[in-house]
Amino acid sequence: MFIVLALSFFAVCIFLQLPPHLRVEAQTSIESDFLAILNAERVTLGKTPIAANSFLLAAAYLHSEDIAEQGYFSHTSLDGRTFDQRIIAAGYTDYVSLGENIAYAYGAPDAAKVYEMWKNSAGHYANMMGDFNEAGLGVYSKNGYTYYTLDLGKSRSPTQPTPTPSPTPTVGLTPTPTPIPESSTWVMLLTLITATAGIVIFKRLTFGFKRALFHEPKLAAFFHDAFSSRKKETAIEHYSQIQ
């Protein structure tokens, strides 16, 4: 039992070193997915697609982080800066017009979810379909909630959207297997160790707890009351809000 716990602790300690890298990948993926959804609808309306811009992304991410860490929800920061001042400070200066949407929701980052939230609000939808040619979506998660900031700009020298390359067919060639990165192998191994340890610990705790419940009716009643209370608290946390 001691060895299992030690391995679990070791795995968790190493895994905790990964979030900065994983967070960058998640941010990029969510932004790409969001812009794909956004541009698909803009094309149906005869509007030009919006390209990702690193300055707008930086401004958006910093505002999402600030909202989450400082505990407020507004386009104006607690230090008094407005959204256009924050965007300019991030380096986006050669623009004609600017816009911003913000939102937060309970749960993991979800591009389709936040897009639908903004789409169902006339003002936010008008921003997304407006006369802009660049954007950055900043995503930040804390305590089970995800905070989103979409900063939009119309640049005088816009970044061109990256076209999706067409795959080049190969004839008579044997495909080369893609090697698995060493870091990915370690992550999979540590995840497997952690999951195995968790199952063993869960089974032992469950067995002991069932015995306690069988011999202690008062404990069983207390557990039922506590679970009912917690379930109720969790139910009221699932909501979304935009501004």
Side-chain angles (χ1 to χ4, degrees):
M1 184 67 175
F2 175 77
I3 295 176
V4 173
L5 290 174
L7 288 173
S8 300
F9 179 75
F10 176 72
V12 171
C13 287
I14 294 181
F15 188 74
L16 288 177
Q17 304 302 316
L18 301 177
H21 170 66
L22 297 179
R23 203 160 45 232
V24 171
E25 291 185 351
Q27 167 71 46
T28 304
S29 175
I30 293 296
E31 184 188 31
S32 299
D33 292 346
F34 180 87
L35 288 180
I37 298 171
L38 173 63
N39 284 330
E41 183 143 356
R42 286 179 65 91
V43 168
T44 63
L45 298 177
K47 298 180 178 294
T48 58
I50 286 179
N53 179 276
S54 59
F55 295 114
L56 291 173
L57 171 61
Y61 178 81
L62 290 174
H63 190 54
S64 292
E65 179 185 30
D66 194 51
I67 288 176
E69 296 296 338
Q70 299 298 325
Y72 70 98
F73 190 67
S74 172
H75 292 285
T76 302
S77 305
L78 294 183
D79 60 8
R81 290 183 302 162
T82 57
F83 77 94
D84 54 325
Q85 291 173 329
R86 287 186 282 98
I87 292 173
I88 293 171
Y92 193 79
T93 56
D94 188 23
Y95 68 89
V96 177
S97 57
L98 299 172
E100 181 175 85
N101 287 355
I102 60 175
Y104 70 86
Y106 187 85
D110 189 328
K113 180 178 182 178
V114 71
Y115 179 80
E116 286 301 319
M117 289 167 60
W118 284 329
K119 182 179 179 179
N120 292 326
S121 169
H124 300 90
Y125 184 71
N127 264 356
M128 295 192 296
M129 298 299 121
D131 188 18
F132 299 110
N133 50 31
E134 294 179 328
L137 179 70
V139 183
Y140 189 85
S141 298
K142 183 178 182 181
N143 297 333
Y145 287 86
T146 300
Y147 300 81
Y148 305 88
T149 300
L150 176 65
D151 281 335
L152 299 145
K154 182 177 182 181
S155 174
R156 292 186 176 89
S157 52
T159 303
Q160 295 300 319
T162 304
T164 303
S166 301
T168 302
T170 56
V171 180
L173 297 178
T174 302
T176 303
T178 303
I180 299 176
E182 184 178 351
S183 60
S184 298
T185 303
W186 276 107
V187 171
M188 290 188 290
L189 178 60
L190 292 174
T191 302
L192 179 61
I193 293 174
T194 305
T196 303
I199 292 172
V200 173
I201 295 171
F202 177 76
K203 285 185 176 180
R204 296 207 173 198
L205 290 176
T206 302
F207 177 74
F209 190 68
K210 286 181 178 178
R211 292 185 61 185
L213 287 178
F214 181 77
H215 294 290
E216 295 291 342
K218 291 184 178 180
L219 177 61
F222 172 78
F223 175 75
H224 174 74
D225 291 342
F227 177 78
S228 298
S229 175
R230 178 56 188 162
K231 187 175 182 181
K232 186 175 181 180
E233 291 172 3
T234 304
I236 63 173
E237 293 177 352
H238 292 69
Y239 66 94
S240 304
Q241 184 174 336
I242 59 177
Q243 179 168 323

